[in-house]
Amino acid sequence: MCCDLKRRFLLLYATQKGQAKAIAEEICLQAGTHGFEADMHCISEMDKYNLETEKDPVVIVISTTGTGDPPDTARKFVKKIRDKSLPPDHFAHLQYGLLGLGDSEYTFFCNGGKTVDRLLQELGAQHFYDTGLADDCVGLELVVDPWIDGLWRALKEVFLLQKEKEGMSTDVSADPHVGHEINLSSKIQNLKLEDEEARSSDVPSQKLLDVDVVASARDAEPSLVHSVPPISQSALNIPALPPEYIEVQFQDTHGENPHLSSLISEGATFEVPVTKASRLTREDAIKTALLLELDIAGTAFDYQPGDAFCVICPNNVSEVEELLHILGLSEKGENFVCVKVKQDTKKKGATRPQHIPERSTLKFILTWCLELRAIPKKAFLRALVECTSNAGEKRRLQELCSKQGASDYTRFIRESNVCLLDLLHAFPSCKPSLNLLIEHLPKLQARSYSVSSSNLYQPGKLCFVFNIVEFPACPTRPVLRKGVCTGWLAELVAPLLHPNKDTLDIRRGSSPTEKISIFARPNNTFHLPSDPSVPFVMVGPGTGIAPFIGFLQHRQKLREEHTDWEFGETWLFFGCRHQDRDYLFKDELRCFLENGTLTHLKVCFSRDSSTAEVAQPKYVQDVIRLYAKEVARVLLKESGYFYVCGDKKHMADDVSDAVVDVLSVEMKVDKLEAMKTMATLREAKRYLQDVWS
């Protein structure tokens, strides 16, 4: 279709970690082949678009961050459309479609998108296409792909109706997707894929003839590198090849790398020394938990108990070296590279990624800027196809990024946590260029941790607790890997954990202590009640206990300083595997209990065998049910607070169910009514969670 016939729509994205932007770019890429022109902007760039005067359809892709908040880039936009003085018909002229991204592991699933959707509706805006809610827990592509497929039909209908209103007739008989029978109110999950012939004319895909390039038995098991019928014998619809847009120029080795603070847009960063490190678990514990103390004295860093903060961490050194070797760039790691946008790129509005410095060493980019462990998106796989010389490997990569290979992608890429290095080992003839990595690998994210201390109790100190994350070897990854940040921190503080004569001599000398860079990530709700007389319940198994140590330290100091104040009772439900191996902060909790800071401590051990006649509860949710009357009293009669911290999938949901059961029994109501009460507690910010997947 000629450029002058292309129909414009406004495409806005609001991203926290880059996923919403990547999806918006995919929509932008496909738009041209469907006869549309996407005017794409970050939603924060409010000087580049104006919804008050926008006449064309608007498409919004928005993620969710924190505990259901819109991403940082959408804060100003949300504040603007939340203005109570705006009339209810403020956006009556606006037609839009919205795609929300979220993770159902968290309570407020897709709440960023839902919030914007609701506010636009309240201001009179109309859907031209149903809202899609994509779940990162099961795979965003399960909703994203069909939502984008259906978007083009909906947009064509919008422009068709516009022309009819303008009295302009148009012949749409040649377009198999446009018809008056289209049901725009159908739910996203009911969208059906077009038949192969209709789609091949409109979707940016490439049909491949049946090719038998895998020399293996027909009934063999599929794997990352091997497929079986029907996919191995199918024609494939694969995504359009993303246009390259980055140019990398190698320079000499002279110069200085940017400061790490320049990579962070979330606020001020602080380089602080690690002053203490201790192991909280026994050597034979299943997981290794470490406690680190940072010295923040003399900095402007401030926090409250319950807050989180972020650690800026590098990729694993050996993985960086390995990648350089595979790329054939081992000798150029210390060379500076200049990263620019290609002058002749076909990518509309291409810009250098904000997380990539214009000039730095190659090692700096691979170490501090790119998430090497990221699960490759299908667009990346599609680009890697062009860098692969072996026919069998090429075909398998095509399958993994195709519509037909969706289940294989989920099983062998997504669920197996495959990363770029795994792919390059599995497909040795794949030799991507450096610019391709910069274009497709997302920003290396800082890792968030809950504060486990009180600035009132330990002035100038900040403590935090973490398990050293381990990813065991598997068929797609022959070696064990540790978490990017926890593995790095453990290695960094090893001299503090295992001091020997050499390290002691160094510490007595003038050698500086190891430092890490951090920045604040305040939690707006996960704080102690403002009224100290209000009782509260804390549930924190494993390292989920971390923020509650800060709570109790703070409460103890307040009790010492204000002997005339009234303090409400405090409950802590803690659980671990073994009483003698991973009972974190056992001595500290006993002290809190003895001095009255902690009123009730209830613990359970899931892997210890019991000799008691009556089976002991194994999990915190079981213990909560044993104290149903007391929990209900705190929540219902005394307007207390309930805090949960820890693993979402294997604990927080079970605790929530237990509290609903407690409310149902003690209120003598059915489960539905108890769930309504629970929703009221959440809404009132009296049932609070700080959880992770």
Side-chain angles (χ1 to χ4, degrees), residues 560-632:
E560 292 171 359
E561 293 179 352
H562 304 279
T563 54
D564 56 331
W565 283 11
E566 180 186 349
F567 291 91
E569 66 177 320
T570 54
W571 288 73
L572 174 63
F573 292 89
F574 174 76
C576 60
R577 290 179 177 83
H578 301 282
Q579 182 174 4
D580 58 348
R581 299 185 199 176
D582 52 5
Y583 188 164
L584 309 185
F585 298 103
K586 182 178 180 179
D587 295 336
E588 291 86 344
L589 292 176
R590 186 184 294 114
C591 289
F592 288 133
L593 200 59
E594 290 173 354
N595 65 32
T597 301
L598 181 59
T599 319
H600 305 280
L601 173 64
K602 307 300 175 186
V603 298
C604 56
F605 311 101
S606 62
R607 304 287 176 88
D608 281 347
S609 56
S610 173
T611 56
E613 292 184 12
V614 179
Q616 296 297 305
K618 288 190 172 186
Y619 303 105
V620 286
Q621 59 266 28
D622 303 325
V623 186
I624 288 169
R625 288 187 174 92
L626 291 180
Y627 292 88
K629 289 187 182 299
E630 292 84 352
V631 170

Side-chain angles (χ1 to χ4, degrees), residues 473-592:
C474 64
T476 55
R477 184 179 53 255
V479 295
L480 178 143
R481 285 198 185 120
K482 292 183 178 179
V484 172
C485 192
T486 61
W488 171 65
L489 288 172
E491 190 175 325
L492 193 72
V493 302
L496 291 172
L497 292 171
H498 312 289
N500 55 39
K501 184 179 182 298
D502 292 338
T503 55
L504 287 173
D505 289 343
I506 290 172
R507 299 220 171 272
R508 291 191 192 103
S510 58
S511 180
T513 308
E514 293 289 358
K515 293 184 177 182
I516 64 173
S517 294
I518 63 172
F519 60 91
R521 186 162 187 170
N523 192 316
N524 295 325
T525 57
F526 203 82
H527 292 149
L528 286 164
S530 55
D531 181 353
S533 68
V534 173
F536 58 89
V537 177
M538 301 167 284
V539 182
T543 55
I545 196 175
F548 304 133
I549 295 299
F551 277 21
L552 293 169
Q553 287 181 353
H554 201 77
R555 173 58 66 93
Q556 178 175 318
K557 197 65 178 177
L558 288 176
R559 283 165 55 87
E560 292 171 359
E561 293 179 352
H562 304 279
T563 54
D564 56 331
W565 283 11
E566 180 186 349
F567 291 91
E569 66 177 320
T570 54
W571 288 73
L572 174 63
F573 292 89
F574 174 76
C576 60
R577 290 179 177 83
H578 301 282
Q579 182 174 4
D580 58 348
R581 299 185 199 176
D582 52 5
Y583 188 164
L584 309 185
F585 298 103
K586 182 178 180 179
D587 295 336
E588 291 86 344
L589 292 176
R590 186 184 294 114
C591 289
F592 288 133

Side-chain angles (χ1 to χ4, degrees), residues 163-211:
K163 285 192 176 183
E164 288 179 350
K165 285 180 182 179
E166 294 167 2
M168 298 171 62
S169 62
T170 180
D171 179 13
V172 296
S173 59
D175 191 335
H177 294 311
V178 177
H180 294 284
E181 74 279 5
I182 189 168
N183 179 10
L184 293 182
S185 65
S186 64
K187 297 297 180 186
I188 184 68
Q189 55 264 37
N190 293 328
L191 282 172
K192 297 290 188 286
L193 293 176
E194 307 295 328
D195 68 56
E196 291 298 323
E197 282 194 33
R199 285 177 67 248
S200 65
S201 64
D202 232 4
V203 175
S205 61
Q206 173 185 340
K207 277 207 165 189
L208 302 175
L209 297 176
D210 296 347
V211 181

Side-chain angles (χ1 to χ4, degrees), residues 209 213 231-232 234 236 391-399:
L209 297 176
V213 292
I231 187 174
S232 62
S234 297
L236 302 174
E393 294 176 9
K394 197 180 192 86
R395 165 72 189 198
R396 185 54 177 155
L397 286 171
Q398 288 171 331
E399 291 170 352

Side-chain angles (χ1 to χ4, degrees), residues 351-371:
T351 57
R352 175 174 51 83
Q354 291 184 346
H355 57 280
I356 302 295
E358 187 172 357
R359 187 177 187 272
S360 64
T361 62
L362 174 54
K363 267 190 182 178
F364 183 86
I365 291 175
L366 297 181
T367 303
W368 294 100
C369 304
L370 298 175
E371 187 85 63

